[in-house]
């Protein structure tokens, strides 16, 4: 089941376990591989560890045992600079987490300027281009408090893309949105997937999973139970727990 | 409509309360037969005595035809001395003058002792405020650090400083630390004030940082920022904005607490007040003046903080 690293494997998580300080066993021997340009959607009931799993992929959560490599770099090697690695891995949060004291444009430009130390003009034109891509070119001077949830999440996506990451992680990006705004965010994510971005998406949007995902993972109680194509996943659930879960949510 | 008329009524009541308060002060001072002599305070604020120029040697004064300049010629061959731009001519043309005689006087003003005290208070407040913010920032960051040494050391510092009276701290700084390190009184006083205020500033900064949602730090870190960059660009600017109101209160306290340094003979506003009282026998006027000057300082500070708050509110 565990494959050797190949140039095509962007994320290789091997037998990762996560214990919290209170003894909670959040991840149990989770192994997964995400290939280049692949869109992997993670589904599961709340408390199943899917967000924890996602957050281990850029070390917002450390793991208790196992190993994770990103684009061939072992995350827990003592020579690995986690900040450098995180530049490769963009993340979009459920709560947007935009920087409220900065305008939309400044939100997008901050990290490329301060972390990558790229040239200001190049960063600004890139930022404008990204904001155009997410359909917010008219809101660049607004502050986050002046935007709707959907707009904020699109800014958050542009902000993550500004670092030119190879991988994008989405942690329930539409869960905090009003229903009518879900579509605009999913459309941006679809566009990204079409551009060939490697994506791991934790979501409850089954339609998105079925339509966009290359593979769908099902997690429950810290275990990865199913890792299959959307067709099999939804039409022919290979696990009884998944079938039960799908019957509840669909 | 009803609302405005009742508001007007309450403003009227407010005015009446203030007036009766002022009147009761007048009555009170009459009952103890106190004579108010506000004019006695003025020279201690601003000294308007004209400045006079005196002859450096014996000689003869020569006033120019237009009366705008005087030249004193020495009897003993010393170089002539010319005087211009004066307001009052004391000598006449051809007068004999002797060394020490006043030739001309000029309108002038100097700061009186109370104003000098105000400047000292302002100086010691600004210096202490500056260091209090710097020390407080580092102690506040140490308080939330995961390093046990930093965490416990900063906690100890805050507890010790907050648990002892400022007056005692000033004495310790002046008599013990000041003697050991050879500090002058101003430095000792400013150091005591900075260390004292920094403990409160540290707690304000700590609570400000902790009030920023954890997602902000996560977002910053996920973009590849290290801890200090995330602090500098993301967390501290937001925390700074949130802590402005309590910080302003702390700064105002600092200005008021600076009056305690008068106990180590720093001639600040309070000490100047005490000295002027013994010179004028006008304690009521002097202390009211001193209070007013403190109010001007603290009022200006809170006004500036309000302006800053308004400017920072653009992103709300």
């Amino acid at each position: 089941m565990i494959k050797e690293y190949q140039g095509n494997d962007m994320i290789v998580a091997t037998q990762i376990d996560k214990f919290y300080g209170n003894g909670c066993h959040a991840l149990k021997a989770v192994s997964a591989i995400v290939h280049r340009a692949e869109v992997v959607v993670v589904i599961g009931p709340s408390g199943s560890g899917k967000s924890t799993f996602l957050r281990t992929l850029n070390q917002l959560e450390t793991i208790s045992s196992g190993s994770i490599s990103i684009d061939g770099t072992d995350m827990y090697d003592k020579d690995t600079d986690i900040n450098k690695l995180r530049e490769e891995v963009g993340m979009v949060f459920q709560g947007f987490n935009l920087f409220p004291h900065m305008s939309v444009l400044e939100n997008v430009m901050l990290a490329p300027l301060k972390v990558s130390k790229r040239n200001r003009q190049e960063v600004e034109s890139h930022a404008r281009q990204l904001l155009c891509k997410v359909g917010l070119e008219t809101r660049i001077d607004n502050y986050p408090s002046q935007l709707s949830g959907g707009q904020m999440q699109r800014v958050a996506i542009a902000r993550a893309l500004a670092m030119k990451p190879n991988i994008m992680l989405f942690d329930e990006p539409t869960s905090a949105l009003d229903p009518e705004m879900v579509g605009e965010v999913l459309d941006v994510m679809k566009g990204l997937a079409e551009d060939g971005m490697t994506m791991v998406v934790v979501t409850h949007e089954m339609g998105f999973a079925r339509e966009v995902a290359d593979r769908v993972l099902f997690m429950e109680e810290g275990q990865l139970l199913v890792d299959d194509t959307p067709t099999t996943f939804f039409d022919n659930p290979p696990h009884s727990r998944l079938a039960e879960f799908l019957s509840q949510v669909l | 409509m009803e609302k405005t008329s009742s508001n007007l009524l309450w403003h009227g009541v407010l005015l009446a309360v203030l007036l009766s308060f002022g009147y009761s002060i007048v009555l009170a001072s009459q009952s103890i037969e106190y004579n108010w002599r506000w004019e006695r305070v003025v020279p201690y604020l601003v000294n308007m005595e004209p400045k006079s120029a005196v002859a450096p040697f014996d000689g003869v004064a020569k006033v120019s035809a237009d009366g705008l300049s005087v030249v004193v010629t020495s009897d003993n061959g010393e170089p002539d001395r010319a005087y211009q731009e004066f307001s009052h001519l004391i000598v006449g043309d051809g007068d004999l003058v002797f060394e020490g005689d006043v030739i001309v006087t000029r309108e002038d003003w100097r700061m009186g002792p109370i104003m000098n005290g105000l400047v000292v208070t302002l100086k010691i407040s600004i210096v202490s405020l500056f260091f209090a913010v710097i020390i407080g920032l580092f102690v506040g960051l140490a308080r939330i650090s995961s390093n046990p040494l930093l965490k416990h050391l900063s906690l100890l510092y805050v507890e010790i400083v907050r648990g002892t009276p400022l007056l005692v701290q000033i004495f310790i700084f002046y008599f013990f630390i000041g003697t050991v390190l050879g500090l002058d009184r101003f430095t000792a006083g400013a150091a005591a004030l900075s260390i004292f205020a920094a403990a409160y500033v540290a707690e304000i900064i700590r609570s400000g940082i902790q009030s920023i949602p954890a997602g902000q730090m996560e977002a910053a870190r996920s973009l590849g920022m290290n801890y200090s960059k995330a602090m500098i660009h993301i967390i501290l600017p937001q925390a700074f904005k949130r802590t402005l109101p309590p910080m302003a209160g702390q700064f105002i306290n600092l200005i008021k607490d600076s009056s305690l340094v008068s106990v180590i003979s720093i001639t600040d506003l309070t000490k100047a007040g005490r000295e002027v009282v013994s010179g004028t026998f006008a304690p009521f006027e002097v202390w009211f003046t001193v209070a007013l000057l403190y109010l001007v300082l603290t009022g200006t500070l809170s006004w500036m903080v309000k302006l800053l708050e308004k400017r920072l509110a653009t992103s709300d």
Side-chain angles (χ1 to χ4, degrees):
Chain A
M1 170 139 171
I2 302 153
K3 285 186 272 181
E4 284 293 299
Y5 168 72
Q6 296 158 9
N8 222 16
D9 297 345
M10 289 301 276
I11 301 173
V12 182
T14 313
Q15 295 288 328
I16 55 176
D17 273 274
K18 167 78 185 174
F19 291 93
Y20 281 111
N22 58 12
C24 170
H25 198 174
L27 295 176
K28 297 171 185 162
V30 175
S31 295
I33 294 172
V34 180
H35 305 107
R36 193 179 298 277
E38 200 172 35
V39 177
V40 171
V41 171
V42 187
I43 282 169
S46 60
S48 61
K50 54 193 192 307
S51 279
T52 307
F53 170 64
L54 191 77
R55 288 158 58 87
T56 62
L57 299 181
N58 68 350
Q59 219 188 91
L60 284 184
E61 301 280 358
T62 53
I63 56 175
S64 310
S65 66
S67 75
I68 299 172
S69 335
I70 302 295
D71 204 2
T73 309
D74 182 357
M75 186 184 282
Y76 285 92
D77 191 282
K78 65 179 179 359
D79 293 330
T80 301
D81 177 359
I82 185 63
N83 294 319
K84 268 267 161 300
L85 204 65
R86 280 179 179 145
E87 291 179 39
E88 305 286 316
V89 186
M91 187 160 196
V92 174
F93 299 85
Q94 180 177 353
F96 325 129
N97 297 346
L98 290 183
F99 306 135
H101 59 303
M102 295 179 180
S103 72
V104 164
L105 189 64
E106 288 165 338
N107 261 279
V108 179
M109 287 172 63
L110 180 75
L113 285 178
K114 301 296 175 191
V115 179
S116 319
K117 309 238 185 269
R118 275 148 55 189
N119 167 285
R120 177 169 269 277
Q121 269 168 346
E122 186 253 325
V123 167
E124 186 170 339
S125 74
H126 184 219
R128 284 174 186 278
Q129 199 184 319
L130 287 170
L131 285 167
C132 202
K133 188 166 154 184
V134 299
L136 287 171
E137 62 276 21
T138 57
R139 309 306 297 264
I140 54 169
D141 291 324
N142 285 119
Y143 283 94
S145 57
Q146 298 162 319
L147 302 180
S148 71
Q151 290 170 329
M152 283 199 264
Q153 195 60 296
R154 286 184 280 151
V155 174
I157 293 173
R159 179 178 69 178
L161 290 174
M163 290 301 286
K164 301 181 176 169
N166 295 319
I167 299 168
M168 285 285 283
L169 308 177
F170 292 85
D171 189 4
E172 304 200 26
T174 57
S175 299
L177 297 179
D178 290 338
E180 76 269 22
M181 293 168 183
V182 170
E184 62 191 66
V185 172
L186 290 181
D187 285 343
V188 170
M189 290 168 63
K190 268 180 218 166
L192 267 181
E194 281 158 18
D195 293 347
M197 178 63 77
T198 308
M199 292 162 62
V200 183
V201 184
V202 171
T203 186
H204 295 293
E205 295 295 326
M206 300 301 164
F208 178 82
R210 189 189 276 272
E211 190 184 338
V212 183
D214 296 302
R215 277 186 301 128
V216 187
L217 314 187
F218 177 69
M219 287 186 72
E220 196 185 57
E221 290 178 349
Q223 283 174 303
L224 179 59
L225 295 182
V226 178
D227 176 349
D228 221 321
T229 60
T231 330
T232 322
F233 189 95
F234 289 107
D235 299 339
N236 202 0
H239 198 285
S240 58
R241 279 298 298 128
L242 173 60
E244 207 177 303
F245 177 75
L246 288 177
S247 72
Q248 279 162 358
V249 295
L250 288 180
Chain B
M1 192 62 200
E2 264 176 55
K3 193 77 194 153
T4 14
S5 61
S6 79
N7 267 349
L8 213 63
L9 177 72
W10 284 115
H11 282 119
V13 173
L14 174 69
L15 196 68
V17 167
L18 292 179
L19 283 177
S20 61
F21 189 65
Y23 185 61
S24 65
I25 290 179
V26 173
L27 278 186
S29 62
Q30 275 172 358
S31 75
I32 54 167
E33 290 171 24
Y34 189 82
N35 292 321
W36 293 88
R37 294 206 184 85
W38 286 102
E39 72 284 353
R40 282 196 185 176
V41 181
V42 177
Y44 293 92
L45 287 170
V46 189
N47 191 343
M48 297 289 272
E49 239 172 61
K51 210 177 192 173
S52 44
V54 296
F57 40 66
D58 299 349
V60 181
K62 218 181 175 76
V63 180
S64 67
D66 55 6
L68 289 179
S69 68
V70 190
V71 178
V72 177
T73 318
S74 171
D75 292 341
N76 304 318
E78 280 150 297
D80 291 357
R81 180 65 70 89
Y83 300 88
Q84 278 152 343
E85 289 172 9
F86 45 81
S87 44
H88 292 287
L89 189 60
I90 306 296
V91 295
D93 189 29
D95 282 1
L96 282 176
V97 295
F98 298 99
E99 185 179 341
D101 282 358
V102 176
I103 309 292
V104 293
T105 60
R106 190 163 50 209
E107 294 291 351
D108 192 38
W109 67 275
R110 287 175 293 272
M111 290 204 303
I114 292 185
M115 284 315 246
N116 282 328
L118 181 72
V119 170
V120 170
T121 289
L122 193 63
K123 233 188 321 197
I124 204 164
S125 299
I126 290 174
V127 170
S128 317
L129 201 144
F130 176 77
F131 285 106
V133 169
I134 300 213
I135 300 169
L137 176 63
F138 282 103
V139 175
L141 286 171
R143 283 277 278 120
I144 54 166
S145 156
S146 52
N147 181 322
L149 171 74
L150 290 176
K151 202 160 71 180
H152 292 124
L153 216 52
S154 55
L155 185 65
L156 194 67
Y157 165 77
V158 169
E159 289 303 327
I160 287 177
V161 170
R162 291 204 306 185
T164 52
L166 174 58
L167 192 56
V168 173
Q169 289 171 22
I170 291 174
F171 282 135
I172 290 177
F173 259 88
Y174 183 54
F175 289 113
F176 175 62
I177 300 174
T179 311
V180 172
L181 300 177
L183 304 178
D184 63 85
R185 41 180 109 251
F186 184 87
T187 315
L193 278 178
S194 313
I195 295 287
F196 176 78
Y200 291 88
V201 170
E203 283 301 283
I204 292 171
I205 289 179
R206 178 192 60 82
S207 68
I209 291 174
Q210 285 177 336
S211 76
I212 306 299
Q216 291 289 312
M217 182 53 105
E218 287 180 357
R221 297 305 299 272
S222 79
L223 287 164
M225 288 187 213
N226 57 28
Y227 181 81
S228 48
K229 271 184 190 156
M231 267 292 164
I232 291 168
H233 297 295
I234 306 303
I235 307 296
L236 287 178
Q238 295 182 57
F240 174 70
K241 192 167 132 183
R242 286 193 193 188
T243 54
L244 259 186
M247 208 65 108
Q250 190 54 49
F251 292 166
I252 285 170
N253 276 341
L254 176 63
I255 292 179
K256 294 186 297 179
D257 289 344
S258 76
S259 65
L260 287 175
V261 298
S262 60
V263 299
I264 54 170
S265 277
I266 295 175
T267 312
D268 72 330
L269 187 48
T270 302
K271 178 130 192 298
R274 231 162 38 206
E275 285 169 3
V276 170
V277 166
S278 54
T280 55
F281 302 109
F284 291 10
E285 294 87 337
V286 171
W287 289 124
F288 276 120
T289 308
V290 166
L292 184 74
L293 289 174
Y294 273 113
L295 256 179
V296 168
L297 285 189
T298 54
T300 313
L301 183 71
S302 56
W303 172 72
M304 289 192 320
V305 171
K306 284 230 174 66
L307 277 190
L308 191 60
E309 265 182 80
K310 228 178 231 169
R311 267 188 60 178
L312 289 176
T314 45
S315 62
D316 290 335

